[in-house]
Amino acid sequence: MIAPGYKVTLVLPARNEAGGIAKIVEQVRPFADEVLVVDGRSTDGTADAARAAGARVVVDGGKGKGDGIRTGLREAASEVVVFFDCDGSHHALDIPNLLAPISLGAADLVVASRALGGSDEYRMNFEHLLRQWGSDFATWLVNARWRAQLTDIQNGFRAGFREKLLGLRLNANHFDVEEEMVMKALKKGLRVAEVPSHEYERQWGASKLATSEGWRFLVRLAREMV
Ligand SMILES: Nc1nc2c(ncn2[C@@H]2O[C@H](COP(=O)(O)OP(=O)(O)OP(=O)(O)O)[C@@H](O)[C@H]2O)c(=O)[nH]1
Ligand SMILES: [Mg+2]
């Protein structure tokens, strides 16, 4: 039992991650009562590889990562869920840290912070600077609006109480789902905490997040702020 008193479902959103999905399922298994892979209609055999590795597999509605997160929340069998990307960016050994504030009754949602834990994905080029500025700006705005002191509102690696997260009625279909979750949680008065976690470079396959999708984050910020 990794979070004393609670059962935990590891929700793994995966779209075309056949290169490493089996490895991820194995890495997170010691920390999970249930391993649930949410397949984003992959065409590379991700779902079969996940099943062969022992995960339960459900398929999302094909609309994007936000759809995958909602599907995972709906389908998870445990009271606590951990979202964990399937590109090798996170370390499974950070899961107990992420769950500690939940077990201690100190938080409803805990986000793994790359600002506190560092990132290998950072590159000194224009595209990455743009992403970093956008992300810092979004975090600053959210902190100012809800008097919070967060450092990373967009990391996909996070944990929370399933019922409380379902109660947020998330509707983002894309990568803006993570900031939507944080903003709606703050709005509702849920306790949002962070723990440091290092982000590693994607280990296989290709990123599903194009920088040109950045406008979605801005529209989402505007929608939830007012
Ligand atoms: N179920 C589901 N999962 C998805 C979908 N799109 C992306 N994912 C998964 O979401 C996780 C994060 O996607 P990434 O492409 O790594 O995006 P990111 O980490 O925000 O961005 P990068 O910094 O470019 O890696 C990965 O495990 C993807 O396979 C989708 O439409 N449905
Ligand atoms: Mg990634």
Side-chain angles (χ1 to χ4, degrees):
M1 187 177 279
I2 184 70
Y6 301 110
K7 290 214 159 147
V8 176
T9 293
L10 253 294
V11 177
L12 311 178
R15 183 152 71 86
N16 293 334
E17 304 285 5
I21 189 70
K23 215 168 162 178
I24 298 285
V25 169
E26 274 156 34
Q27 283 170 359
V28 303
R29 185 177 291 125
F31 306 101
D33 294 289
E34 176 189 44
V35 180
L36 178 66
V37 170
V38 184
D39 175 35
R41 309 200 168 205
S42 303
T43 52
D44 66 347
T46 295
D48 287 341
R51 257 181 234 109
R56 179 156 85 91
V57 177
V58 293
V59 182
D60 70 22
K63 294 182 184 151
K65 192 186 181 191
D67 189 357
I69 295 300
R70 274 198 305 278
T71 304
L73 263 180
R74 221 172 30 236
E75 295 283 338
S78 311
E79 50 230 299
V80 170
V81 290
V82 174
F83 298 101
F84 193 98
D85 287 347
C86 300
D87 57 352
S89 290
H90 319 310
H91 204 302
L93 282 176
D94 286 343
I95 295 171
N97 286 343
L98 196 67
L99 288 169
I102 288 183
S103 304
L104 293 170
D108 302 306
L109 170 65
V110 187
V111 180
S113 167
R114 298 164 290 189
L116 299 176
S119 174
D120 296 344
E121 288 238 321
Y122 192 73
R123 293 269 176 291
M124 215 31 178
N125 63 35
F126 182 67
E127 193 183 342
H128 277 81
L129 278 177
L130 201 64
R131 281 190 185 211
Q132 190 62 44
W133 287 336
S135 167
D136 289 348
F137 176 63
T139 305
W140 178 81
L141 269 183
V142 166
N143 282 334
R145 171 71 176 76
W146 286 286
R147 294 172 183 271
Q149 290 184 315
L150 301 172
T151 61
D152 186 351
I153 61 171
Q154 287 165 342
N155 199 4
F157 187 21
R158 51 183 61 202
F161 287 103
R162 175 175 174 268
E163 287 291 340
K164 291 187 179 177
L165 299 182
L166 278 171
L168 299 179
R169 303 188 178 283
L170 301 173
N171 55 41
N173 285 328
H174 302 278
F175 283 89
D176 48 333
V177 66
E178 270 103 17
E179 67 179 29
E180 179 193 26
M181 189 188 289
V182 168
M183 288 190 282
K184 286 189 166 169
L186 291 170
K187 228 186 257 187
K188 261 205 146 176
L190 299 190
R191 293 160 310 160
V192 182
E194 287 183 337
V195 296
S197 174
H198 192 80
E199 178 182 49
Y200 299 87
E201 270 187 72
R202 174 176 264 285
Q203 305 289 310
W204 47 75
S207 171
K208 317 295 179 301
L209 175 59
T211 305
S212 56
E213 296 272 306
W215 61 271
R216 291 190 196 277
F217 294 96
L218 294 174
V219 171
R220 175 61 57 183
L221 275 172
R223 266 176 75 173
E224 300 301 332
M225 288 270 165
V226 288

